[in-house]
Each structure stands twice: as structure tokens, then as C-alpha cells.
């Protein structure tokens, strides 16, 4: 199933020309000249991991017919820049060697446990053992020839694009007309960085280059020197903002109600609740339309404040929740294709700047919703989209309010508050103590995540919820 998900990722993003993976890990190689999202690491890694997560969840039933997905899976990702073809060769060799070492160890471990040893005993038994000792153990004690195990588990899987000639039509004389087509295929090789394997695929040589020499010895420390990780500033609020990818198209194909679909907004809110419940360091979230901002507390050490881990973990889980919860909000609507989101992390050093950020997002919510309400009322009345845009061009709030009156909306502020002010998600206290006969209680509470639609621009909100962020603007 993992391979199928990765094939979908490779097909979705044309600049990915080669992929290698095993177990729950995959490496996607983009061509050196790629301008994919202007080479912004946060965009690239969040979009790829989000789409992979989405495909993984949507395809689960195809491979596990009788198994329910018990909880939403998620993945983390990072971008690694290989300075030369030799570094790429070393990196891929390192990952395939890791595949062999891990699989051989796991096979021995599970055979030992299966035949009566405890997990601790099995770990101790395999401690300090090398490849040959593990190979002999499998053959002599369990009758397993390691080289006969499925090639995919021993060598991992490569996904690459090849060019083949396909018949696209027949001319008037009946002769076939052929065109070169790019196809994605999955292959397995004992040595994916050997010249003999690489030379089999001219497309790889053209887009990535060829290997000059075969690798004899792997130096993991040399490769790890390229795994540079950006850490977010300490003692600052971390805001992870996610946005739907091409959600105009997504909302159109899935026939969302315009300008606001309450079901879609509540689906986003439900996903945000799930994230706060999963990541205890997330203390507040604000969302509107297909966008959500998650605030992580200042002293958080989640993933050692590594930007890539934090962003991709949040984006991946949000995507996973979106797909798994889709049926709860759209019970009669099939998900036509896997949705995806991108994300980024920004650090804010003070409470004042953080609340300014949130105020900006809520003001943006109001501006966009008022415009969209006017726009779609005009379209419903018979105007074309271009005509509606021209009518609204340059108009301010008073003019839009007057326009809405023409469509029976006498007061913009009577529209649902969720549409006008967005949604705020945060931890709150719930009184769970039953009231005694005399009307008193002993003040027993539990924390829960709540969704509210309120004005977060005014200081009154923060003053009435001092425990959320300890903010006092």
C-alpha cells in the first residue's frame, strides 16, 4: 500500500523524477533545475507530505478490506539538498543499506519472539550481531534463506518515470500513430546506486545525471552533514498556518455551498479540535474558509523546535483527519480526489505581536466574507462572474452593505457569526461536579477543547479567557 501511495505522489508532482522507499519511509528526488513553488522548502515538504497522507488514507480500504483505520495516520518530512550527484548517490546508498540492516534485524527479532523469547531476550540475543550472524541465525534455526524473502522487503522499492511508445490513434490508411508517453513504474534492485542499474533508465541520466563510480563504503556521518535542520527561535510563539491547496477547484468539484458551506467549515473545525487534542503544546487555533492558524506555546520543545518536523506533522495529521472525517460531514458525497494542504511556521516574540497577527486574520475573514457574500448574491441574480467583479471593484464596506440590502440582507451582522468572525478553538474548563441539594459544588473540572465564534480582536476576549495564552493585551 505504501508503494501505491508513493506512485500517486510521483504522478502528482511532475518534478519528482525518482523515489526510493521501504517500510514507512520514502525519499522523493526532484530534478536539480526544479522551480517547484520557487524552491521554498516549507511549501514543498508540506504539500508532498499532505498529499501522501491524503492518498494513504483514501486508499486504505483497497488494501485492508476487513480492517478499519483505527486512528488517523500521519507522517513527517524534511527537505535535503544534495550538492552534487555524488552526494545523491551516497544518500540513496545509505537509505538502501539501512533498509537491509533494519529488515534483517526485524526478521530475526520477530522469529525469535515467535519461537518463545521475550522481546527483551530477543533484543539482547541480537545485540552486537552482524549481517552474517543474522543470516546464519535465520537459516540454521528457522530454515529461512534471507535471500529468498520478498525482494521488496529486502531491497526497498524504486519509483521512476520511463518513456514508452503508445498508439494514440490510427491514420486514414490504418497505420498506427505513436507518441512517447511518460509512465510511472515500480522496480526493485539490489543496488540502486550502481552504474549498471542507473544506466538502464536514460530518463534518469538525462534529468539527474549518471554515477561515475560505484560506492564501496558508506559514510553515514558524511551524509548526515547535509541533513541541516532549521530550529525555530526559542521563547517565541510559534504559529503554524495551513492553507488548502487549490481549494477553489476542490470546493467547486465537491459542490460546496457558496459563499460559505457550513458543513465544510465544521469539518475544518473538527480537524482543528483533533489537532489540539493530539498536540498538547497547541493552545489556540483560529480558522476561516480553508485556512487555519495553530499557536504553539512559547516554551514548547516539540520535536526540539525543528521547523520541518513541526510543520509537516501538523499538516499531515490535519490532512489525515480531513479525509477520515469527510463522511461525518458529507455522508452522501464521495471524495472525488485526495485533498491537500500546505503549511509554514512563523515565530512571534511577544503577546502583542501575536494578537496583532490574529486580529489581522479575523479582519481578513470579515473583508473576504463580505466581498464573497456580495459576489455570490450578484451571480445568483444573473450576473456573470466578471460582471460581479466589476460591480464590486473599488467598493467599501458601506457600499457593500447597501448592495446586500437589494438581496434581502438588511443587516450584514445578522449573517451567521461563524461566517463573519471565523472559528476559535482552544482548551477550556468544563464543570463536571454534580450540583448538591443545597446548590453548591466542590468545583471539580476537566479540560476540553471548545469551538467558539467570537471577536478575538477586542481585549475583552483574552481578558475573559486568561488561561488560554496568558495574554493581557
Amino acid at each position: 500500500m505504501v508503494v501505491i501511495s508513493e506512485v500517486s505522489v510521483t504522478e502528482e508532482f511532475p518534478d519528482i523524477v525518482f523515489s526510493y522507499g521501504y517500510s514507512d519511509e520514502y525519499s522523493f528526488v526532484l530534478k536539480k533545475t526544479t522551480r517547484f513553488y520557487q524552491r521554498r522548502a516549507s511549501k514543498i515538504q508540506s504539500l508532498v507530505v499532505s498529499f501522501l497522507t491524503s492518498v494513504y488514507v483514501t486508499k486504505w480500504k483497497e488494501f485492508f478490506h476487513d480492517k478499519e483505520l483505527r486512528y488517523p495516520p500521519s507522517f513527517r518530512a524534511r527537505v535535503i539538498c544534495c550538492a552534487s550527484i555524488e552526494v545523491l548517490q551516497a544518500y540513496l546508498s545509505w537509505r538502501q543499506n539501512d533498509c537491509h540492516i533494519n529488515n534483517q534485524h526485524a526478521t530475526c527479532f520477530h522469529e525469535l519472539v515467535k519461537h518463545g523469547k521475550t522481546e527483551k531476550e530477543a533484543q539482547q540475543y541480537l545485540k552486537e550481531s552482524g549481517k552474517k550472524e543474522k543470516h546464519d541465525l535465520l537459516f540454521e534455526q528457522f530454515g529461512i534463506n534471507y535471500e529468498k524473502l520478498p525482494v521488496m522487503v529486502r531491497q526497498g522499492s524504486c519509483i521512476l518515470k520511463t518513456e514508452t511508445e503508445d498508439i494514440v490513434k490510427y491514420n486514414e490508411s490504418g497505420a498506427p500513430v505513436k507518441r512517447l508517453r511518460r509512465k510511472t513504474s515500480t522496480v526493485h534492485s539490489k543496488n540502486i546506486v550502481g552504474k549498471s542499474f542507473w544506466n538502464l533508465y536514460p530518463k534518469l541520466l538525462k534529468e539527474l545525471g549518471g554515477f561515475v563510480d560505484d560506492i564501496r563504503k558508506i559514510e553515514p556521518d558524511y551524509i548526515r552533514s547535509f541533513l541541516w535542520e532549521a530550529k525555530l527561535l526559542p521563547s517565541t510563539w510559534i504559529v503554524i498556518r495551513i492553507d488548502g491547496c487549490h481549494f477553489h477547484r476542490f470546493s467547486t468539484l465537491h459542490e460546496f455551498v457558496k459563499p460559505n458551506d457550513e458543513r465544510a467549515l465544521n469539518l475544518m473545525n473538527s480537524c482543528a479540535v483533533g489537532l489540539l487534542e493530539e498536540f498538547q503544546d497547541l493552545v489556540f487555533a483560529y480558522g476561516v474558509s480553508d485556512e487555519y492558524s495553530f499557536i504553539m506555546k512559547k516554551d514548547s520543545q516539540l520535536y526540539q523546535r525543528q521547523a520541518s518536523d513541526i510543520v509537516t506533522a501538523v499538516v499531515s495529521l490535519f490532512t489525515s483527519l480531513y479525509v477520515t472525517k469527510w463522511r461525518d460531514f458529507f455522508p452522501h458525497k464521495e471524495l472525488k480526489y485526495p485533498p491537500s494542504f500546505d503549511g509554514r511556521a512563523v515565530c512571534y516574540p511577544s503577546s502583542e505581536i501575536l494578537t496583532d497577527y490574529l486580529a489581522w486574520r479575523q479582519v481578513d475573514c470579515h473583508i473576504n466574507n463580505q466581498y464573497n457574500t456580495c459576489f455570490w448574491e450578484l451571480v445568483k441574480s444573473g450576473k456573470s462572474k466578471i460582471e460581479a467583479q466589476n460591480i464590486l471593484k473599488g467598493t467599501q464596506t458601506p457600499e457593500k452593505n447597501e448592495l446586500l440590502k437589494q438581496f434581502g440582507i438588511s443587516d450584514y451582522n445578522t449573517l451567521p457569526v461563524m461566517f463573519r468572525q471565523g472559528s476559535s478553538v482552544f482548551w477550556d474548563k468544563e464543570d463536571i461536579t454534580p450540583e448538591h441539594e443545597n446548590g453548591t459544588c466542590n468545583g471539580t473540572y476537566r479540560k476540553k477543547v471548545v469551538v467558539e465564534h467570537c471577536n478575538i480582536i477586542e481585549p475583552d476576549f483574552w481578558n475573559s479567557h486568561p488561561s488560554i495564552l496568558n495574554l493581557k493585551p
Side-chain angles (χ1 to χ4, degrees):
M1 175 182 171
V2 174
V3 172
I4 299 298
S5 301
E6 272 54 50
V7 167
S8 299
V9 173
T10 305
E11 291 173 341
E12 176 72 9
F13 303 109
D15 281 7
I16 294 176
V17 293
F18 182 77
S19 309
Y20 173 76
Y22 71 95
S23 184
D24 61 345
E25 169 194 314
Y26 245 91
S27 298
F28 299 97
V29 183
L30 281 75
K31 58 186 179 183
K32 198 172 184 178
T33 57
T34 183
R35 299 302 304 168
F36 184 49
Y37 283 100
Q38 293 75 53
R39 298 176 74 94
R40 285 179 287 170
S42 185
K43 273 274 193 182
I44 293 171
Q45 64 197 15
S46 59
L47 275 175
V48 169
V49 79
S50 178
F51 187 74
L52 184 148
T53 306
S54 196
V55 173
Y56 190 96
V57 176
T58 54
K59 289 183 177 289
W60 175 270
K61 276 293 183 185
E62 294 181 26
F63 298 88
F64 298 95
H65 312 288
D66 304 320
K67 270 189 199 302
E68 286 298 323
L69 195 58
R70 295 185 180 180
Y71 64 90
S74 61
F75 302 85
R76 283 181 284 155
R78 69 181 70 176
V79 169
I80 302 165
C81 293
C82 295
S84 65
I85 188 66
E86 290 78 20
V87 176
L88 175 61
Q89 181 185 26
Y91 171 81
L92 292 172
S93 180
W94 173 45
R95 300 322 304 142
Q96 186 168 45
N97 186 60
D98 207 55
C99 167
H100 168 71
I101 291 171
N102 289 340
N103 183 67
Q104 193 183 46
H105 179 90
T107 305
C108 291
F109 176 83
H110 289 294
E111 286 297 325
L112 287 167
V113 171
K114 194 189 301 183
H115 287 81
K117 289 193 180 294
T118 66
E119 291 188 0
K120 189 174 182 179
E121 288 172 338
Q123 288 170 350
Q124 190 62 34
Y125 191 90
L126 294 172
K127 195 176 181 181
E128 306 298 334
S129 62
K131 294 180 183 179
K132 186 179 186 307
E133 288 87 349
K134 291 186 178 76
H135 192 281
D136 292 342
L137 169 67
L138 288 172
F139 186 76
E140 293 169 5
Q141 289 196 29
F142 308 117
I144 297 174
N145 184 343
Y146 183 76
E147 297 301 322
K148 297 294 183 182
L149 293 179
V151 65
M152 181 167 61
V153 301
R154 292 185 290 108
Q155 299 174 357
S157 302
C158 300
I159 300 169
L160 43 83
K161 295 171 182 175
T162 55
E163 288 185 338
T164 57
E165 276 194 337
D166 278 354
I167 297 174
V168 294
K169 63 178 181 179
Y170 292 88
N171 60 25
E172 294 177 357
S173 63
V177 177
K178 297 181 178 181
R179 294 281 188 275
L180 281 175
R181 299 289 192 194
R182 297 187 70 177
K183 289 188 175 180
T184 302
S185 56
T186 304
V187 297
H188 304 97
S189 170
K190 190 172 183 178
N191 183 9
I192 64 169
V193 296
K195 289 186 294 181
S196 57
F197 171 75
W198 215 247
N199 289 338
L200 291 174
Y201 303 101
K203 194 70 180 173
L204 284 181
L205 295 175
K206 180 181 178 182
E207 295 187 314
L208 295 177
F211 299 139
V212 177
D213 299 305
D214 287 335
I215 288 182
R216 302 294 179 190
K217 185 181 178 182
I218 302 167
E219 297 289 351
D221 287 341
Y222 166 70
I223 296 151
R224 290 191 186 99
S225 67
F226 290 90
L227 309 184
W228 183 81
E229 282 290 334
K231 283 193 175 186
L232 298 169
L233 287 172
S235 302
T236 56
W237 299 103
I238 301 172
V239 175
I240 304 102
R241 179 174 156 188
I242 69 169
D243 290 280
C245 183
H246 304 306
F247 254 60
H248 287 296
R249 173 175 175 262
F250 183 85
S251 63
T252 300
L253 285 180
H254 290 90
E255 300 175 323
F256 284 7
V257 176
K258 303 292 185 177
N260 295 289
D261 193 308
E262 191 170 348
R263 300 163 301 172
L265 294 174
N266 284 327
L267 171 56
M268 293 285 290
N269 294 341
S270 181
C271 295
V273 169
L275 250 74
L276 263 70
E277 290 175 339
E278 177 67 20
F279 297 111
Q280 299 294 305
D281 282 6
L282 294 177
V283 292
F284 186 81
Y286 175 76
V288 55
S289 186
D290 62 338
E291 168 198 313
Y292 242 100
S293 296
F294 295 93
I295 298 174
M296 191 167 287
K297 59 186 182 182
K298 292 179 78 170
D299 60 351
S300 173
Q301 289 303 312
L302 181 67
Y303 300 124
Q304 293 75 52
R305 298 178 77 92
Q306 301 279 6
S308 60
D309 283 347
I310 292 173
V311 171
T312 57
V314 167
V315 170
S316 180
L317 182 58
F318 191 94
T319 306
S320 192
L321 286 164
Y322 194 94
V323 177
T324 55
K325 289 174 175 286
W326 174 266
R327 279 287 187 186
D328 297 341
F329 296 88
F330 295 93
H332 307 299
K333 205 179 283 288
E334 288 292 331
L335 197 56
K336 295 183 179 180
Y337 68 90
S340 57
F341 300 81
D342 68 72
R344 77 212 76 170
V346 182
C347 294
Y348 293 96
S350 70
S351 301
E352 291 76 18
I353 298 176
L354 178 61
T355 51
D356 283 347
Y357 167 82
L358 292 170
W360 168 50
R361 299 319 306 142
Q362 190 163 55
V363 167
D364 205 55
C365 168
H366 162 72
I367 292 171
N368 289 337
N369 184 66
Q370 190 182 48
Y371 179 93
N372 290 334
T373 303
C374 293
F375 175 85
W376 286 105
E377 287 296 334
L378 287 166
V379 171
K380 290 172 187 175
S381 71
K383 302 290 184 185
S384 69
K385 291 183 178 180
I386 292 177
E387 288 174 331
Q389 288 171 348
N390 289 332
I391 291 171
L392 292 171
K393 191 174 182 180
T395 58
Q396 301 300 316
T397 294
E399 292 95 328
K400 291 187 179 74
N401 283 335
E402 287 300 315
L403 178 63
L404 289 174
K405 290 178 182 178
Q406 299 177 24
F407 302 108
I409 303 173
S410 58
D411 186 356
Y412 172 78
N413 291 324
T414 61
L415 295 177
V417 66
M418 178 168 63
F419 301 165
R420 293 183 289 108
Q421 296 185 346
S423 301
S424 298
V425 182
F426 53 91
W427 286 96
D428 203 2
K429 289 182 179 179
E430 176 187 32
D431 187 351
I432 61 170
T433 306
E435 195 172 278
H436 298 308
E437 290 182 5
N438 62 3
T440 63
C441 64
N442 62 10
T444 303
Y445 300 94
R446 68 180 173 193
K447 289 184 69 178
K448 67 170 184 175
V449 180
V450 298
V451 180
E452 290 190 6
H453 313 295
C454 44
N455 188 343
I456 61 173
I457 296 175
E458 295 297 327
D460 287 347
F461 172 79
W462 301 108
N463 291 335
S464 61
H465 297 86
S467 63
I468 298 176
L469 303 172
N470 293 320
L471 297 182
K472 295 182 180 178

